[in-house]
Amino acid sequence: MMATDTHPESEEAVAAAVRVAFEAGEPLRIIGGGTRAALGRPVQAARRLILDRLAGITLHEPAEMVIAAKAGTPLAAIEAALDAKGQMLAFEPADFRALFGSQGTPSIGAIAAGNISGPRRIWGGAARDSLIGLRFVNGRGEIVKSGGRVMKNVTGLDLVKLQAGAWGTLGILTEVTFKVVPKPETIATLALDGLDDPAAQAAMSAALASPFEITGAAHLAAGLAGETARTLLRIEGFGFSVDYRAGELARLLAPHGRLERLDNAAGRALWAAIRDGLPLAEPREAALWRLSLKPSEAAAAVAAIRARRDARAYYDWGGGLVWLATAADGDAGAGVIRAAARAAHGHATLIRAPEPVRAAVSVFEPGPAPVAAITARIRAAVDPAGLLNPGLMHAGA
Amino acid sequence: MTAIAFPAPDAGILGRRDLILAGLARLVAPECLITSDDERRAFETDAFTAYRRMPLAVVLPRTTAEVAAVLAYCHAEGVPVVPRGAGTSLCGGAIPQEDAVVIGVSKMNRILEIDYANRLVRVEAGVTNLAVTNAVSAEGFFYAPDPSSQLACTIAGNIAMNSGGAHCLKYGVTTNNILGVTLVTIDGSVIEIGGPALDAPGYDLLGLVCGSEGQLGIITEATIRILRAAEGARPVLFGFETSEQAGAAVAAIIAAGIVPVAMEFMDKPAIEICEAFAKAGYPLDVEALLIIEVEGSESEMEATLARIVTIARAHGVKVVKESKSAMETAAIWKGRKSAFGATGRIADYICMDGTIPTGQLPLVLRRIDEIVKAKGLRVANVFHAGDGNLHPLILYNINDPDEARKAEEAGNEILTLCVEVGGCLTGEHGVGIEKRDLMRRQFTDIDLAQQQRIRAAFDPGWLMNPAKVFPLDRRAA
């Protein structure tokens, strides 16, 4: 199906386009930078609303640690503006272009809509935790705002959080506001080598239960980042403090192995790779899953999956996040993987798979029946005609 | 005060009271159902004491199943429900109405599971905020949100109001520290949202429930994050001759890449009130006081403090006073956290809770002073300086109707000012009944209608905490 593209240049134009679609009963596919367009169930829509021209930083107050931008603003522009003032986004947003082989540039609105968070999530929170305000156009073509530019705000229902992770099915984000943090003076990456998954899990738990403010905890099995397995921990802050904490952490983790401080550039490259799913990017035809689990049960979940089918996996968020690649044939392992995730008190999202698989398998887990029922009612409360990214998250919705 | 209206009670419900009480009596044990005038009176208001209404009855269930049964019954009977934690709301979030059943979670106060490996605690939601920290402090952990009422307030109430505290500059507010809840909706459905994993599938219902002020359901259990405490923490007092200097110092500290765990501001009247109560050693010869707390090892704290002191000196700080002992630290925080209680010893007060962009601080402090003086009243200011969350305490005499009215008017003008400079009506206390009728200052009718439609996805009959948050004339029929 050839889609008709519209590139609105203003929030009013977005609202007008939705009102037209509402009158005509025509569904819309919402696109930011288009770098994750292959994530989610295939959307059947003859019209694409592309937000690339709705761009520009609208507010940046470094002393208030806040930045706001129109939704189509490239992430790179946000990061450059923050960097110039010694600041950054707290949640280390990922870039999935390598995973999907996509072109274009990630947009800040899509980062918010997908709640895209990297390794720093365990310390700095997810994208949704930094997102403090937004404006959106609902399925009736009305412009709605929630939250604001101040970081403490409990005025009214928090539709900001609700939009983070709704993938544009609860409105088209037009402007987003994030709180930001100072960029650390020093970043240290520390590695333990040669641990198996359960041992790595125990070491990460010990580190995260320490007072040393770990901002990254990941484990890569042998073959994913070198010949031996590597458990990585990250500490950030002022140089004097990082040195002190790195030393203390090495002492604390001595029973788990010898903690080695990596070269800065090598460390940064590793965290970027972990963030972006690069260790499992190839082969491109493999299906890719992200499992959100109770951290202490992640290694057992991966072992249970491997007992049933071939899979390669690595751990982020101290074990709370597992990236897993497996063959994309059949259900791409959905049955086996979701059963293991449930047993580990979590769930699984299908990040990458050929379109027929994504049409047949639930990409996003629907959740238990009462949650699914509330979800459907919320969707109807925002987008009564079901026009916005229909079917992207759930079939028939 | 009579400015805040309550909906007219439903005469049909009042007329059926005996039948409804009998119905409730079939669902819970006798000691869980409160019907006598004397005992109900304890539930007729919360910490927003200027308003009170006697509820139809009070139920204190002991289990999620009992909450579900009572809600399903009220739903079937069309009886409004007012959820209640510990009744410490400063905005009237738990104030009942005559035709409503109060459902309190205070009997559900067990800690169900402590999991250090995954750094989480599972609780029944009537447990107090401080009880959670106390349960894990021996292992060096704590629960981060620390509202001043933490000795009494419940986790259920914290989640309903998305409570903050003095340390959220570094650790975030409730919504950033919760992993899952058990929510019972008005029809008696028990909904499990989230759990021990960091993300829940689907929409962020947890984020929606946080701060929903008891309108979506009753929270009976919660899975919350605990954090390992820093090796040490030390508050330092910085006294300034003007609040402008103090505000500029806060901005400069943040600009230097330092985010202290807490930065609290007090003006002269607040300093005097709190010092008289807590004997915390606050300097009395300054116009503005910052309490800045740093964390870490001894050497880390010293190095960070040295940077902060240098910045403060560049902004004309007059007094720098470091805590030298755990006792001094406790006294410094006792003074700040008892600001409301200490104020209550010298006068009645209403406590505002607007947030402003911190750059607007000098203007807003000046305007607050003008607004309150124009009413012939006094104000003491305490606030979270790092995040711009203000707590002007407007002092008045509750027995003088004219003063009470003026205090409420001054409060409304201050909150309107907060919105006008780019902030919001409430940073951490909630809307409740207090700020309900000001919502149009911050939101358009379209904004409010969208929130209400989402509210209706949980409670289509508008029975849960029905006279809160939204202007009364916007209520569903």
Side-chain angles (χ1 to χ4, degrees):
Chain A
M1 176 168 54
M2 272 304 288
T4 314
D5 289 349
T6 308
H7 298 258
E9 292 180 4
S10 68
E11 182 178 67
E12 292 70 28
V14 174
V18 174
R19 284 194 295 271
V20 168
F22 187 75
E23 292 302 322
E26 276 186 353
L28 294 169
R29 173 74 165 112
I30 323 301
I31 301 283
T35 63
R36 284 182 275 114
L39 205 168
R41 298 183 71 261
V43 174
Q44 302 300 323
R47 210 168 264 287
R48 300 199 309 171
L49 216 55
I50 301 175
L51 299 178
D52 55 348
R53 289 183 201 156
L54 193 66
I57 292 169
T58 50
L59 170 86
H60 182 199
E61 288 288 350
E64 293 169 14
M65 299 194 286
V66 60
I67 194 163
K70 294 180 190 172
T73 309
L75 175 62
I78 302 283
E79 290 183 326
L82 291 173
D83 195 59
K85 299 291 180 186
Q87 296 184 328
M88 65 179 194
L89 294 168
F91 54 92
E92 205 174 3
D95 179 347
F96 288 164
R97 278 178 288 190
L99 278 192
F100 293 113
S102 52
Q103 305 296 313
T105 176
S107 69
I108 191 67
I111 295 284
N115 190 24
I116 304 296
S117 318
R120 210 169 179 283
R121 194 234 155 112
I122 51 166
W123 175 252
R128 59 85 91 179
D129 293 296
S130 287
L131 188 62
I132 56 174
L134 48 74
R135 299 172 63 86
F136 66 94
V137 173
N138 69 15
R140 300 163 190 258
E142 297 167 331
I143 297 167
V144 182
K145 70 166 179 300
S146 185
R149 62 178 281 195
V150 291
M151 58 180 85
K152 265 170 96 182
N153 183 352
V154 295
T155 321
L157 285 184
D158 191 348
L159 308 190
V160 176
K161 301 284 182 288
L162 190 62
Q163 291 288 1
W167 296 85
T169 62
L170 291 180
I172 304 169
L173 305 190
T174 52
E175 185 175 353
V176 293
T177 306
F178 284 100
K179 64 175 177 177
V180 301
V181 295
K183 210 172 171 106
E185 180 184 277
T186 304
I187 300 172
T189 301
L190 309 154
L192 287 161
D193 282 348
L195 301 183
D196 64 17
D197 289 5
Q201 186 55 62
M204 289 191 289
S205 267
L208 289 167
S210 79
F212 305 124
E213 302 191 354
I214 308 299
T215 70
H219 174 69
L220 299 161
L224 288 176
E227 286 177 13
T228 57
R230 205 140 227 213
T231 309
L232 299 162
L233 300 164
R234 184 171 58 184
I235 295 177
E236 306 172 350
F238 292 112
F240 63 85
S241 169
V242 168
D243 291 346
Y244 164 77
R245 285 181 282 142
E248 290 299 302
L249 191 65
R251 259 189 288 285
L252 177 78
L253 295 184
H256 300 268
R258 199 176 68 80
L259 197 62
E260 176 200 354
R261 185 161 172 171
L262 301 189
D263 165 74
N264 278 345
R268 280 171 198 269
L270 275 169
W271 290 113
I274 290 162
R275 180 193 70 194
D276 296 343
L278 295 189
L280 300 176
E282 302 293 338
R284 188 64 58 75
E285 59 274 17
L288 204 51
W289 293 84
R290 267 163 68 110
L291 287 67
S292 182
L293 308 172
K294 187 176 185 175
S296 62
E297 295 175 16
V302 170
I305 293 165
R306 285 213 181 107
R308 302 279 301 277
R309 62 186 288 133
D310 280 340
R312 298 186 305 142
Y314 71 90
Y315 303 80
D316 193 2
W317 302 350
L321 173 67
V322 172
W323 287 81
L324 185 135
T326 190
D329 57 312
D331 69 351
V336 169
I337 290 164
R338 290 215 155 112
R342 266 193 295 278
H345 303 278
H347 71 280
T349 306
L350 180 56
I351 296 293
R352 185 183 72 185
E355 188 166 316
V357 178
R358 285 183 285 122
V361 171
S362 294
V363 169
F364 295 91
E365 227 163 276
V371 170
I374 290 276
T375 295
R377 292 206 292 275
I378 289 173
R379 167 95 163 142
V382 182
D383 178 17
L387 301 176
L388 308 177
N389 280 347
L392 188 147
M393 291 188 76
H394 304 295
Chain B
M1 280 196 282
T2 52
I4 297 173
F6 284 75
D10 183 320
I13 293 172
L14 299 185
R16 284 187 286 134
R17 180 165 185 253
D18 289 346
L19 275 173
I20 292 165
L21 298 191
L24 293 170
R26 287 193 291 274
L27 303 173
V28 294
E31 65 270 26
C32 299
L33 178 60
I34 292 169
T35 58
S36 76
D37 286 3
D38 279 357
E39 288 178 290
R40 273 187 293 152
R41 194 154 289 128
F43 297 87
E44 67 180 0
T45 188
D46 53 24
F48 189 54
T49 52
Y51 292 86
R52 54 192 64 225
R53 288 291 184 280
M54 192 74 118
L56 201 66
V58 178
V59 188
L60 303 174
R62 288 176 299 199
T63 64
T64 298
E66 284 183 359
V67 171
V70 173
L71 281 172
Y73 176 78
C74 291
H75 184 231
E77 293 292 323
V79 177
V81 170
V82 174
R84 187 180 180 95
T88 57
S89 172
L90 289 159
C91 64
I95 293 181
Q97 53 194 52
E98 290 95 332
D99 57 2
V101 171
V102 168
I103 301 181
V105 294
S106 57
K107 285 189 193 292
M108 293 188 282
N109 58 2
R110 290 178 306 160
I111 291 175
L112 301 172
E113 181 189 358
I114 299 175
D115 179 349
Y116 293 110
N118 293 297
R119 301 164 301 285
L120 59 86
V121 173
R122 207 160 56 80
V123 298
E124 290 182 333
V127 70
T128 63
N129 173 295
L130 196 58
V132 176
T133 287
N134 286 344
V136 297
S137 59
E139 297 289 326
F141 284 79
F142 71 111
Y143 173 61
D146 63 337
S148 294
S149 57
Q150 69 187 137
L151 185 63
C153 63
T154 63
I155 292 295
N158 288 177
I159 294 170
M161 309 311 274
N162 194 12
S163 303
H167 292 78
C168 43
L169 189 56
K170 179 171 178 184
Y171 295 114
V173 296
T174 301
T175 191
N176 313 115
N177 287 281
I178 298 287
L179 292 166
V181 295
T182 301
L183 179 80
V184 188
T185 51
I186 185 67
D187 61 359
S189 301
V190 178
I191 303 179
E192 299 290 343
I193 301 170
L198 280 173
D199 288 322
Y203 294 156
D204 190 351
L205 300 183
L206 198 57
L208 184 63
V209 167
C210 268
S212 60
E213 305 203 16
Q215 301 179 95
L216 306 186
I218 292 182
I219 297 150
T220 59
E221 288 185 17
T223 304
I224 65 183
R225 293 179 70 175
I226 51 171
L227 299 171
R228 178 66 185 265
E231 290 180 88
R234 188 179 302 152
V236 181
L237 303 174
F238 295 86
F240 293 86
E241 282 178 335
T242 68
S243 52
E244 281 84 355
Q245 287 176 324
V250 167
I253 290 165
I254 288 168
I258 304 167
V259 182
V261 63
M263 286 201 275
E264 296 291 299
F265 174 103
M266 303 167 94
D267 69 0
K268 195 174 181 76
I271 298 168
E272 286 169 356
I273 289 166
C274 294
E275 178 61 19
F277 176 75
K279 309 283 186 293
Y282 296 163
L284 294 169
D285 56 344
V286 297
E287 289 297 318
L289 178 69
L290 292 176
I291 305 172
I292 300 182
E293 182 160 278
V294 295
E295 288 186 337
S297 65
E298 200 58 40
S299 63
E300 287 177 292
M301 289 193 290
E302 270 173 31
T304 307
L305 275 175
R307 290 174 186 221
I308 293 173
V309 169
T310 303
I311 293 167
R313 293 208 192 289
H315 288 85
V317 70
K318 187 176 169 190
V319 181
V320 178
K321 193 168 173 230
E322 220 173 293
S323 164
K324 298 286 184 217
S325 69
M327 261 176 65
E328 277 187 32
T329 295
I332 286 171
W333 278 116
K334 183 186 172 199
R336 167 59 188 89
K337 290 205 173 189
S338 57
F340 299 170
T343 303
R345 298 197 322 161
I346 64 161
D348 302 304
Y349 67 90
I350 52 174
C351 171
M352 297 291 107
D353 175 46
T355 307
I356 58 163
T358 52
Q360 301 289 335
L361 200 54
L363 166 75
V364 170
L365 285 179
R366 200 166 57 243
R367 285 285 299 127
I368 287 175
D369 194 51
E370 289 166 7
I371 287 168
V372 177
K373 275 199 182 125
K375 305 282 181 196
L377 300 174
R378 288 180 299 151
V379 64
N381 280 293
V382 295
F383 62 85
H384 310 300
D387 51 35
N389 186 194
L390 309 181
H391 294 315
L393 301 168
I394 303 169
L395 312 186
Y396 74 107
N397 175 0
I398 202 167
N399 295 315
D400 178 340
D402 188 48
E403 272 208 2
R405 181 181 51 76
K406 284 178 174 169
E408 203 170 285
E409 285 171 3
N412 288 352
E413 286 178 36
I414 289 169
L415 294 184
T416 302
L417 170 68
C418 290
V419 174
E420 281 169 3
V421 300
C424 65
L425 295 172
T426 172
E428 59 184 359
H429 296 172
V431 176
I433 62 167
E434 182 200 21
K435 295 171 274 279
R436 185 187 67 199
D437 298 317
L438 293 174
M439 287 288 275
R440 284 197 184 89
R441 307 278 165 89
Q442 187 171 334
F443 294 109
T444 64
D445 278 339
I446 287 175
D447 298 335
L448 293 173
Q450 184 61 81
Q451 291 183 32
Q452 287 177 287
R453 285 198 296 269
I454 289 171
R455 183 198 191 286
F458 292 79
D459 176 24
W462 206 268
L463 290 173
M464 290 297 303
N465 222 9
K468 312 291 159 63
V469 181
F470 296 101
L472 279 192
D473 59 9
R474 287 208 54 91
R475 282 180 61 189

